[in-house]
Amino acid sequence: MSTRRLLLSLILFHLTSTWSAWAYADEGMWTLDNLPREQLRTRYGFEPDQAFLNRAMQGTVRLASGCSGSLVSREGLMLTNHHCVIGCVQALSTADEDFVSKGFLAKKRGAEKQCPGMEVNQLQETSDVTAAINKATHGLEGEAFSEARKNVFSALQNACVEGNAERIRCDMVELYQGAIVHLYRYARYPDVRLVFSPEFASGFFGGDPDNFNFPRFNLDMGLLRVYENGRPLSNRVYFPLRESGAKEGELVITLGHPGETERLLTVSQLQLRRDHLLPFQLMLESEYRGLLNHYSQGGDEPARIARSDLTMLENGLKVMRGERQTLVAAEVMQAKREEEDGLRTWAQQQSEAVAVKNPWDATQQATSALRNFYPEYLMIASGYAFRSEIMGFARWLVRAAEERARSFEERLEGYSEAELPAIKQRVIAQRPVYADYDVIRLTWSLEKLREVLGVDHPFVRTVLGKDSPGAVAKRTIEGSALADPDLRVKLWEGGQAAIEASEDPAIQLARIINGTARLLHLKHKATVDAPMKKAAKDLAALRFARFGTSVYPDGTFSLRASFGTIKGWKEGDTTVSSATTFASLFDRATPYEPFQLGEAWVQASKAIEPSRRFNQVSDNDITGGNSGSPLINAKGEIVGLIFDGNIHSLGGAFFYDGSLNRAISVHPEAMITALKTIYPAPHLLRELRH
Amino acid sequence: MSTRRLLLSLILFHLTSTWSAWAYADEGMWTLDNLPREQLRTRYGFEPDQAFLNRAMQGTVRLASGCSGSLVSREGLMLTNHHCVIGCVQALSTADEDFVSKGFLAKKRGAEKQCPGMEVNQLQETSDVTAAINKATHGLEGEAFSEARKNVFSALQNACVEGNAERIRCDMVELYQGAIVHLYRYARYPDVRLVFSPEFASGFFGGDPDNFNFPRFNLDMGLLRVYENGRPLSNRVYFPLRESGAKEGELVITLGHPGETERLLTVSQLQLRRDHLLPFQLMLESEYRGLLNHYSQGGDEPARIARSDLTMLENGLKVMRGERQTLVAAEVMQAKREEEDGLRTWAQQQSEAVAVKNPWDATQQATSALRNFYPEYLMIASGYAFRSEIMGFARWLVRAAEERARSFEERLEGYSEAELPAIKQRVIAQRPVYADYDVIRLTWSLEKLREVLGVDHPFVRTVLGKDSPGAVAKRTIEGSALADPDLRVKLWEGGQAAIEASEDPAIQLARIINGTARLLHLKHKATVDAPMKKAAKDLAALRFARFGTSVYPDGTFSLRASFGTIKGWKEGDTTVSSATTFASLFDRATPYEPFQLGEAWVQASKAIEPSRRFNQVSDNDITGGNSGSPLINAKGEIVGLIFDGNIHSLGGAFFYDGSLNRAISVHPEAMITALKTIYPAPHLLRELRH
């Protein structure tokens, strides 16, 4: 799966640079206003008109939590991945009714269940605000630059939501490292309901062992419905499913929201990632994985409780391992270094107007700064040390109350009026809390706090005193009443006064944390984030001057299109073919997780044509956030549902290798067969017009 | 603690090279036949005579499992660390009687309990066999070289044990990367009994958080007694304890068995370590740590069962983190690179006789080879994928039976007649087996096998078939009878025929593993180990030619002396003083592990003079294997018991930094106070003459 996925290539045959010639026609995640039209025309004979672009924008949606999706009926039915809805399915499950294990299918509208805290965004309008921002930040450096930038961002966002932040969401989209900034206005839909999710065993068949691998057999699909004013959304544009999919060689297009690529990072940034940040996270999260793994062995109920966390964690670990593996390949770093040296030499030869302040040295300085305090920053400010649902609520409540009490200019980034509704929705969402699970996770993460920063670190001493991590966790979680959503609503609405009056131990601990965390955020902003952004912008300006604008920007979790064809690849001497079938799925199945098929599948196996296709690969350039993206043909019909990349694509965070990188999607034949034969859902098939 | 410890320096002020000028008088782990006499005389006025050297050799002993120790009475009483005896204490404990938690004190000789599988070695004689080896390997390359070398090693060892391998142990000691080889003959004592171990809470006060840190408060001492023919050893030489310790500035000497330093590795070897081997192990072991941590939370009995494994694991992780942290410091790698370039340039200018074949390229080739198969090698051949006591027994039994059936020349290294008794002792040792714990660990490690090598790897398919890791583990452990030591004795004695006839599922699985593991060992030998050893020897020859022999060899778990003084250090602006006291121990204590003191301590606290010293630091150059080393003065009195290094010493695997690296020892005042006031043991104090 690929939520916020950034990816690896163990064997690198070809190394192409984003900024060199457009070596692979299929590289790139393009904004709709800057498609590679010439290449599309010559390579595929495809010339997208305005109608196509409008449909692309209106038919594609985004889950604010980090996935993509598409509308597939006129009544708000939305297709995305199983792994994008699993958090909702988990939240709706109880010990008595475990929809994760057995799947979920609403037989009628009334049975569709609201997903707590889920938010769907549909892009309505984009505008270029680069000029306004450049004007506001002209001639500024360092903290002054970043303050001015934050303020003009907030002002633009606040104007954009038109006082209706409940229904409108406005995001600043920083393209090309912020050299171009767009303002994206989305319709916000906070009422999203679960329609269909297969059982975990099919949605994530092969589990972590098969994740990022191919051949593959995941029915990684989920159906949601977007509601407005308590009724299904009435939408004109949607994408129909084309059951037969696409032919090899035919143009296929992903539309979605690639979260983050980092193809333009400097060598010093990549080294920091390779040697410090990734290993730190990999060790920490690996240990957490071992903990959750053993917790899950405690019975069906613990397994159910931890399943979604564990799945996401394992996915993230595989991604980070892949990233690290890519960065330790000598060829990759060498290529990045040569590219950087080339640009640097070129810049030195230019007139002063072009040769801006050395962005590499500025970046190097910022990476050195971060190297000295990232453990504190990650543990305290990013909250790695406070893993618990209760502490999550408490930290959001305390932070939001404090920021809301400040003037607009003094707030931390992310707390403008326009952004508060999304935070509120997360805080007051009806999510189940499992106290034991919370105590175990908080205990462990407080132990890591002590381990990473040391027994004698002042913050550790403040949090623990003469107590143990276990004692603090138990007292905090068991003494807290924040599991009650009504209390959270009350605390949210009571603001800073209510927080200060609260004797809830989780709120009290969160207040201690927030004091230090806020200082670390400000330090990070001043010494790392702002200088890096400024340097990245300077670098982008240099690149523009040298290469022009016929290139695509890094992923920013905003709407992009990527182009390609259904296509296998060569793995050493072996050719991996482009699609799998039901026949090979049934062959791979065993009586044990994660290769065990549900009873409905075993029952249906005889009735299914074995040659029907299951999963397929194409060479579209995707990354995390593209999960749930429709794969469409030139007519706008869905010919696949993107859910992952192959193992080689794990280097995609840093570069695209067209000979090996593949996107993996669910074939429409698998989706329709599932709804027809395995989980009979004639009402949904009718709605999908099949 | 420091069993097989290899270490880190986060902040590197001074970087000294082993082979450059003797910048720090206190660098080096010296063999007794090559002490830095000139420096000892000028710096400390110390001129060790033959009597001193004889006492040093006879008073110092080694635990074959990887620790050092010293004789402290005429009746075989042996002082070492708590963490060196904890494995024995754990093996002697049961659910009803947990000596780990409550400690152990034999009130009389008859109550001393034999440590299963423990072996003490006392060095009796050393001889230089370099000439014999050079003759046997003259003119050979590659596999022929390494075969000839293995065979002459085995022949020398077999001759040395004089057909009495039960009582004599002979080790080849490869000094200076094998440029000089000594044959060390030890007396073997396989009957070693536990006399005293403090409770875990005091032996490892501060636990993992304080490990490798200072100020420190560990009573990391344990007392064993060496038996011969069923009676306490009668030994002439021993070291008395000097209660007042040493003064600052006074020469203090460690005698012990530093396990392994790698100060002479090439840059390509260090890079392989930094980018591949260490991260691989760190991620794997971190996950295992999370698993064991949560397992331990399951109650007192699981905590007891896993405690020793978890402690050793956490110690190893801290060491590996430190190693990695050292190697990612740009200055360290830069210094290593410059040193290498310097020697290479020098070599190119020499006559052909000196300028041997390029050892750096050969090493580079071997590291590239290893990079391509280390995951298979570690998982299968090193047994990372088969974590279980039962599978440990099974793998030893199968391997030993198969090797014993081969001719001497065809055996794997480590299986000569001289080495078999030590293996047999491990296999037949009366160690408790906890089936549930075994199933959990084997399940997890088989999952990792599948994850690391992939679902479709042929070996994975052979081991798992259509089963899950959990099913294979359960079937193997629950179906095996190897927990019974008598059966293991029978299988050992029955040799290959008994193994082939066995239907025990653990033996059957071990046979599958052994086939592949043996091939991987041979591949590793041929493509990695032999070429690296050859290159290291060539490199050492170059270094001799350039720097002469006034340098010390890397650690080889053989007897060494290191020299220094009791001395604190500067940590940024703060001065860390050289010793801690009982007063600050009682101040640091909390009601919670790992900072909780046992009842006996709380009771005794009033009766103890607060200023009595507890732990201390000196600048002796030590590493893993030195655990349990006596710290003696020039008169041969014990003035400390080495048990750890400070956090800066974690870079010690790769270089010594005299301004920051410190060895940590237990002060004699703490040991004597403990035996006098806390665990009253007048009989032991009498034996120690206090």
Side-chain angles (χ1 to χ4, degrees):
Chain A
M1 70 190 70
S2 60
T3 310
R4 290 190 62 69
R5 180 160 55 76
L6 320 162
L7 322 179
L8 113 124
S9 179
L10 288 163
I11 307 152
L12 303 165
F13 296 113
H14 305 274
L15 198 63
T16 68
S17 158
T18 305
W19 292 85
S20 60
W22 207 48
Y24 291 96
D26 299 336
E27 173 171 356
M29 303 161 185
W30 303 89
T31 53
L32 295 189
D33 62 348
N34 182 32
L35 297 180
R37 290 181 170 274
E38 180 55 24
Q39 290 90 335
L40 289 174
R41 196 179 55 75
T42 54
R43 181 173 276 232
Y44 300 109
F46 178 58
E47 299 185 68
D49 57 11
Q50 193 55 42
F52 180 90
L53 296 179
N54 290 345
R55 289 195 64 208
M57 193 161 102
Q58 290 163 36
T60 315
V61 290
R62 178 179 92 166
L63 288 174
S65 55
C67 278
S68 299
S70 59
L71 294 170
V72 289
S73 86
R74 286 189 200 285
E75 297 173 280
L77 193 64
M78 175 186 158
L79 176 65
T80 184
N81 292 143
H82 167 262
H83 78 264
C84 295
V85 306
I86 188 76
C88 164
V89 178
Q90 171 110 20
L92 295 175
S93 296
T94 62
D96 295 332
E97 193 145 41
D98 181 7
F99 299 120
V100 177
S101 291
K102 65 177 202 180
F104 178 89
L105 174 61
K107 300 261 181 199
K108 50 180 194 199
R109 295 285 154 88
E112 295 171 357
K113 284 176 184 278
Q114 194 171 2
C115 288
M118 188 178 268
E119 172 182 330
V120 161
N121 303 143
Q122 185 184 33
L123 186 59
Q124 295 189 313
E125 199 185 341
T126 74
S127 52
D128 188 333
V129 292
T130 314
I133 289 161
N134 285 349
K135 197 174 148 202
T137 57
H138 184 73
L140 300 177
E141 288 284 335
E143 221 162 322
F145 169 84
S146 91
E147 273 304 296
R149 201 168 138 285
K150 191 194 77 179
N151 292 339
V152 64
F153 273 28
S154 291
L156 287 165
Q157 278 179 298
N158 288 341
C160 170
V161 297
E162 297 168 348
N164 190 8
E166 294 292 336
R167 305 297 293 274
I168 298 170
R169 173 172 180 144
C170 294
D171 286 359
M172 306 305 302
V173 177
E174 300 179 64
L175 303 169
Y176 304 99
Q177 281 19 61
I180 293 179
V181 185
H182 284 184
L183 180 60
Y184 278 34
R185 196 180 71 193
Y186 298 90
R188 259 191 99 221
Y189 297 106
D191 181 357
V192 188
R193 304 190 192 173
L194 184 64
V195 177
F196 167 71
S197 165
E199 72 279 15
F200 192 82
S202 295
F204 195 41
F205 182 84
D208 182 63
D210 271 4
N211 197 15
F212 294 108
N213 286 324
F214 193 84
R216 189 72 162 280
F217 310 90
N218 277 20
L219 187 71
D220 198 349
M221 74 178 287
L223 289 166
L224 299 168
R225 192 181 302 280
V226 180
Y227 279 69
E228 189 175 34
N229 302 323
R231 290 164 52 190
L233 181 70
S234 169
N235 53 300
R236 285 212 350 257
V237 171
Y238 72 95
F239 300 129
L241 259 72
R242 182 185 176 85
E243 185 164 7
S244 61
K247 294 194 183 64
E248 294 219 354
E250 179 185 346
L251 171 66
V252 292
I253 307 162
T254 68
L255 293 171
H257 300 79
E260 200 183 356
T261 50
E262 302 190 297
R263 295 185 182 172
L264 306 181
L265 289 186
T266 67
V267 169
S268 69
Q269 287 172 314
L270 292 171
Q271 282 172 334
L272 181 73
R273 200 69 67 93
R274 179 191 70 188
D275 293 339
H276 298 277
L277 302 180
L278 282 169
F280 179 86
Q281 290 173 288
L282 278 163
M283 286 184 259
L284 193 70
E285 302 307 328
S286 291
E287 190 178 325
Y288 190 49
R289 180 189 188 190
L291 182 92
L292 292 191
N293 178 326
H294 189 260
Y295 174 84
S296 299
Q297 313 286 316
D300 288 347
E301 182 60 359
R304 187 186 72 76
I305 289 174
R307 174 162 262 174
S308 153
D309 288 338
L310 190 53
T311 303
M312 288 299 146
L313 176 65
E314 289 181 334
N315 184 61
L317 275 167
K318 213 161 192 177
V319 169
M320 289 194 289
R321 280 203 299 273
E323 283 200 315
R324 205 195 66 82
Q325 205 67 35
T326 299
L327 293 178
V328 296
E331 316 85 86
V332 172
M333 210 50 115
Q334 191 52 30
K336 291 279 183 186
R337 197 171 278 119
E338 281 166 14
E339 189 193 322
E340 189 164 307
D341 289 346
L343 189 59
R344 194 194 303 246
T345 306
W346 178 85
Q348 281 160 355
Q349 296 157 349
Q350 305 311 304
S351 67
E352 268 186 45
V354 171
V356 289
K357 271 181 91 161
N358 183 330
W360 297 281
D361 289 357
T363 306
Q364 170 95 58
Q365 219 175 339
T367 55
S368 297
L370 183 54
R371 197 168 59 225
N372 290 328
F373 80 104
Y374 72 87
E376 272 179 304
Y377 180 72
L378 293 176
M379 296 309 287
I380 303 172
S382 305
Y384 284 29
F386 318 106
R387 296 178 193 212
S388 113
E389 201 75 51
I390 290 285
M391 281 309 298
F393 292 139
R395 287 172 53 236
W396 281 109
L397 282 167
V398 167
R399 166 70 55 81
E402 187 170 326
E403 298 306 319
R404 281 151 67 206
R406 289 174 197 275
S407 75
F408 159 76
E409 290 79 10
E410 284 180 334
R411 289 188 191 174
L412 286 179
E413 209 163 6
Y415 291 84
S416 68
E417 288 305 318
E419 292 160 305
L420 286 170
I423 297 171
K424 180 178 175 187
Q425 190 173 349
R426 283 190 51 172
V427 173
I428 67 173
Q430 301 250 3
R431 297 175 59 84
V433 171
Y434 305 99
D436 286 356
Y437 185 54
D438 248 26
V439 170
I440 285 167
R441 292 185 300 156
L442 186 56
T443 298
W444 176 81
S445 54
L446 289 173
E447 279 170 10
K448 294 307 108 177
L449 175 73
R450 180 174 70 184
E451 174 174 316
V452 169
L453 304 185
V455 180
D456 300 316
H457 187 286
F459 180 77
V460 176
R461 286 189 169 266
T462 306
V463 167
L464 297 183
K466 281 257 173 187
D467 284 341
S468 67
V472 172
K474 210 168 145 64
R475 187 176 71 211
T476 305
I477 302 303
E478 292 179 358
S480 173
L482 291 182
D484 174 11
D486 294 341
L487 173 64
R488 300 199 299 270
V489 172
K490 216 177 287 172
L491 283 169
W492 180 277
E493 284 165 2
Q496 187 69 341
I499 294 295
E500 279 170 13
S502 170
E503 292 182 0
D504 191 287
I507 294 288
Q508 293 186 334
L509 177 55
R511 290 181 67 194
I512 292 172
I513 295 166
N514 195 47
T516 304
R518 195 173 199 279
L519 292 177
L520 284 165
H521 275 299
L522 295 175
K523 179 176 175 184
H524 184 267
K525 183 87 193 163
T527 63
V528 180
D529 191 51
M532 275 192 187
K533 282 209 169 113
K534 178 69 167 58
K537 216 182 133 183
D538 290 345
L539 201 48
L542 266 184
R543 285 177 156 135
F544 274 132
R546 182 162 189 203
F547 301 105
T549 55
S550 64
V551 289
Y552 63 92
D554 262 334
T556 50
F557 197 40
S558 62
L559 187 58
R560 304 291 178 87
S562 79
F563 304 93
T565 58
I566 304 292
K567 189 191 273 180
W569 78 94
K570 289 208 89 168
E571 188 72 52
D573 297 333
T574 318
T575 300
V576 181
S577 67
S578 66
T580 61
T581 63
F582 276 82
S584 32
L585 164 69
F586 288 118
D587 186 50
R588 194 171 186 79
T590 77
Y592 299 97
E593 283 186 4
F595 298 100
Q596 187 181 24
L597 281 173
E599 196 45 37
W601 288 72
V602 180
Q603 297 284 329
S605 61
K606 293 263 161 22
I608 297 170
E609 167 57 47
S611 67
R612 280 178 78 81
R613 283 160 292 182
F614 208 97
N615 289 167
Q616 62 188 351
V617 283
S618 60
D619 67 350
N620 300 72
D621 187 6
I622 61 155
T623 192
N626 268 118
S627 285
S629 290
L631 185 73
I632 62 172
N633 61 19
K635 284 193 235 160
E637 296 164 324
I638 292 181
V639 295
L641 168 61
I642 295 289
F643 71 95
D644 205 357
N646 69 349
I647 197 80
H648 300 295
S649 77
L650 285 163
F654 309 117
F655 68 96
Y656 173 81
D657 179 349
S659 67
L660 293 170
N661 284 29
R662 291 295 177 271
I664 311 180
S665 55
V666 186
H667 195 281
E669 285 181 355
M671 295 192 266
I672 288 167
T673 302
L675 295 178
K676 212 171 251 168
T677 314
I678 298 161
Y679 317 97
H683 60 302
L684 293 179
L685 284 169
R686 254 194 318 278
E687 190 173 347
L688 293 165
R689 304 186 172 234
H690 280 278
Chain B
M1 71 190 73
S2 61
T3 312
R4 291 191 62 68
R5 181 160 54 79
L6 319 161
L7 323 180
L8 114 121
S9 179
L10 288 165
I11 306 152
L12 304 165
F13 296 113
H14 304 274
L15 197 62
T16 69
S17 158
T18 304
W19 292 85
S20 58
W22 208 49
Y24 291 95
D26 298 336
E27 174 172 355
M29 302 161 184
W30 303 88
T31 52
L32 295 189
D33 61 348
N34 181 35
L35 297 180
R37 290 181 171 275
E38 180 53 26
Q39 290 91 335
L40 289 174
R41 197 179 56 75
T42 53
R43 180 173 277 231
Y44 300 110
F46 178 57
E47 299 186 67
D49 55 12
Q50 193 55 43
F52 180 90
L53 296 179
N54 290 345
R55 291 196 63 209
M57 193 162 102
Q58 290 164 36
T60 315
V61 289
R62 180 179 91 165
L63 287 174
S65 54
C67 277
S68 298
S70 59
L71 294 170
V72 288
S73 84
R74 286 189 200 284
E75 297 174 281
L77 193 64
M78 172 185 158
L79 177 65
T80 184
N81 291 144
H82 168 262
H83 77 264
C84 295
V85 306
I86 187 75
C88 163
V89 178
Q90 171 110 20
L92 294 175
S93 295
T94 62
D96 295 333
E97 192 145 42
D98 182 6
F99 299 120
V100 177
S101 291
K102 64 176 202 181
F104 179 89
L105 174 61
K107 299 262 184 203
K108 50 179 193 201
R109 295 283 155 90
E112 295 172 357
K113 284 176 184 279
Q114 193 172 3
C115 288
M118 188 178 268
E119 172 182 331
V120 161
N121 303 143
Q122 185 185 33
L123 185 59
Q124 295 188 313
E125 199 184 344
T126 74
S127 52
D128 189 333
V129 292
T130 313
I133 289 160
N134 285 349
K135 197 174 149 202
T137 57
H138 183 73
L140 300 177
E141 288 283 334
E143 221 162 321
F145 169 84
S146 90
E147 274 305 296
R149 202 169 138 284
K150 191 195 78 181
N151 292 339
V152 64
F153 272 30
S154 291
L156 287 165
Q157 278 179 297
N158 288 340
C160 169
V161 298
E162 297 167 348
N164 190 8
E166 295 291 336
R167 306 297 293 275
I168 297 171
R169 174 172 179 145
C170 294
D171 286 359
M172 307 304 303
V173 178
E174 301 179 63
L175 303 169
Y176 305 99
Q177 276 27 57
I180 293 178
V181 185
H182 284 185
L183 181 60
Y184 277 34
R185 196 178 72 193
Y186 297 91
R188 258 192 99 221
Y189 296 106
D191 182 356
V192 187
R193 305 192 191 171
L194 184 65
V195 176
F196 168 69
S197 165
E199 71 280 15
F200 191 82
S202 296
F204 195 42
F205 182 83
D208 183 64
D210 272 3
N211 197 14
F212 293 109
N213 286 324
F214 194 85
R216 188 71 162 281
F217 310 90
N218 277 21
L219 188 71
D220 197 347
M221 73 178 286
L223 289 166
L224 298 168
R225 192 181 303 279
V226 181
Y227 279 70
E228 190 175 34
N229 302 323
R231 289 163 55 190
L233 181 70
S234 168
N235 52 299
R236 284 210 353 255
V237 171
Y238 72 96
F239 300 129
L241 259 72
R242 181 184 176 88
E243 186 165 6
S244 61
K247 294 194 184 63
E248 294 219 355
E250 179 186 345
L251 171 67
V252 291
I253 307 162
T254 69
L255 293 171
H257 300 79
E260 199 181 0
T261 50
E262 302 191 296
R263 296 186 183 171
L264 307 181
L265 289 186
T266 67
V267 169
S268 68
Q269 287 172 313
L270 292 171
Q271 282 171 334
L272 181 73
R273 200 68 67 92
R274 178 192 71 188
D275 292 340
H276 298 277
L277 303 180
L278 282 170
F280 179 86
Q281 291 174 288
L282 278 164
M283 286 186 260
L284 194 71
E285 303 307 329
S286 290
E287 190 179 323
Y288 189 49
R289 181 190 187 189
L291 181 92
L292 292 190
N293 179 325
H294 190 260
Y295 175 83
S296 299
Q297 312 286 318
D300 288 347
E301 181 60 359
R304 185 185 73 75
I305 289 173
R307 175 162 263 174
S308 153
D309 287 338
L310 190 53
T311 303
M312 288 299 146
L313 176 65
E314 289 181 335
N315 184 63
L317 276 167
K318 213 161 192 177
V319 169
M320 289 194 288
R321 279 204 299 274
E323 283 199 315
R324 206 196 65 84
Q325 205 66 37
T326 299
L327 293 178
V328 295
E331 316 84 85
V332 172
M333 210 50 116
Q334 191 52 31
K336 291 280 183 186
R337 197 172 279 121
E338 282 167 14
E339 188 194 324
E340 190 164 306
D341 290 345
L343 189 60
R344 194 193 304 246
T345 306
W346 178 85
Q348 282 159 356
Q349 295 157 349
Q350 304 312 304
S351 67
E352 266 186 46
V354 171
V356 290
K357 273 182 94 160
N358 184 330
W360 297 280
D361 289 357
T363 307
Q364 169 95 58
Q365 219 175 339
T367 57
S368 297
L370 183 54
R371 197 168 58 223
N372 291 329
F373 79 104
Y374 73 86
E376 272 179 304
Y377 180 72
L378 294 176
M379 296 309 287
I380 303 172
S382 304
Y384 285 28
F386 317 106
R387 296 179 192 212
S388 112
E389 200 75 51
I390 290 285
M391 282 308 299
F393 292 139
R395 287 171 54 235
W396 281 109
L397 282 167
V398 167
R399 166 68 56 81
E402 187 169 325
E403 297 307 318
R404 279 153 67 206
R406 289 175 197 273
S407 74
F408 160 76
E409 290 79 10
E410 284 181 333
R411 289 187 191 174
L412 287 179
E413 209 163 8
Y415 291 85
S416 68
E417 289 304 319
E419 291 160 305
L420 286 170
I423 297 172
K424 179 178 175 187
Q425 189 171 352
R426 283 190 52 171
V427 173
I428 67 173
Q430 301 250 3
R431 296 174 60 84
V433 172
Y434 305 99
D436 285 356
Y437 183 55
D438 248 26
V439 169
I440 285 166
R441 293 185 299 158
L442 185 56
T443 297
W444 176 81
S445 54
L446 288 173
E447 279 171 10
K448 293 307 108 177
L449 175 73
R450 180 175 71 183
E451 175 175 315
V452 169
L453 303 185
V455 180
D456 300 317
H457 187 286
F459 179 77
V460 176
R461 285 189 170 265
T462 305
V463 168
L464 296 183
K466 281 257 173 188
D467 284 340
S468 67
V472 172
K474 210 169 144 65
R475 188 176 70 212
T476 305
I477 302 303
E478 293 178 358
S480 173
L482 291 182
D484 174 10
D486 294 340
L487 173 63
R488 300 199 298 272
V489 171
K490 216 177 287 173
L491 283 169
W492 180 277
E493 284 165 2
Q496 188 70 339
I499 294 294
E500 280 172 13
S502 169
E503 291 182 1
D504 191 287
I507 293 289
Q508 292 186 334
L509 178 55
R511 291 181 65 195
I512 293 172
I513 295 166
N514 195 47
T516 305
R518 194 172 201 279
L519 292 177
L520 285 165
H521 273 301
L522 294 176
K523 179 176 175 183
H524 184 267
K525 182 86 192 165
T527 63
V528 180
D529 192 49
M532 276 192 186
K533 282 210 169 111
K534 179 69 166 60
K537 215 184 133 182
D538 291 344
L539 201 48
L542 267 184
R543 285 177 156 134
F544 275 131
R546 182 162 188 203
F547 301 106
T549 55
S550 65
V551 288
Y552 63 92
D554 262 333
T556 49
F557 196 41
S558 62
L559 187 59
R560 303 293 177 87
S562 79
F563 304 92
T565 58
I566 304 293
K567 190 190 272 180
W569 77 95
K570 288 209 90 169
E571 188 71 53
D573 297 332
T574 318
T575 300
V576 181
S577 65
S578 66
T580 60
T581 63
F582 276 82
S584 31
L585 163 70
F586 289 117
D587 186 50
R588 194 170 187 80
T590 77
Y592 298 97
E593 282 186 3
F595 298 99
Q596 187 181 23
L597 281 172
E599 197 45 38
W601 288 73
V602 180
Q603 297 284 329
S605 61
K606 292 264 161 23
I608 298 170
E609 166 58 48
S611 66
R612 280 179 78 80
R613 283 161 291 182
F614 208 98
N615 288 168
Q616 61 188 352
V617 283
S618 60
D619 67 350
N620 300 72
D621 187 5
I622 61 155
T623 192
N626 267 118
S627 284
S629 290
L631 185 73
I632 62 172
N633 60 18
K635 285 193 232 157
E637 296 165 323
I638 292 181
V639 295
L641 167 62
I642 295 289
F643 70 96
D644 205 357
N646 69 351
I647 197 78
H648 301 295
S649 77
L650 284 164
F654 308 117
F655 68 96
Y656 173 80
D657 178 350
S659 67
L660 293 170
N661 284 30
R662 291 295 178 273
I664 311 180
S665 55
V666 186
H667 196 281
E669 285 181 356
M671 296 191 267
I672 288 167
T673 301
L675 295 178
K676 212 171 250 170
T677 315
I678 298 161
Y679 317 97
H683 60 303
L684 294 180
L685 285 170
R686 254 194 318 278
E687 189 172 350
L688 292 165
R689 304 185 172 233
H690 280 278

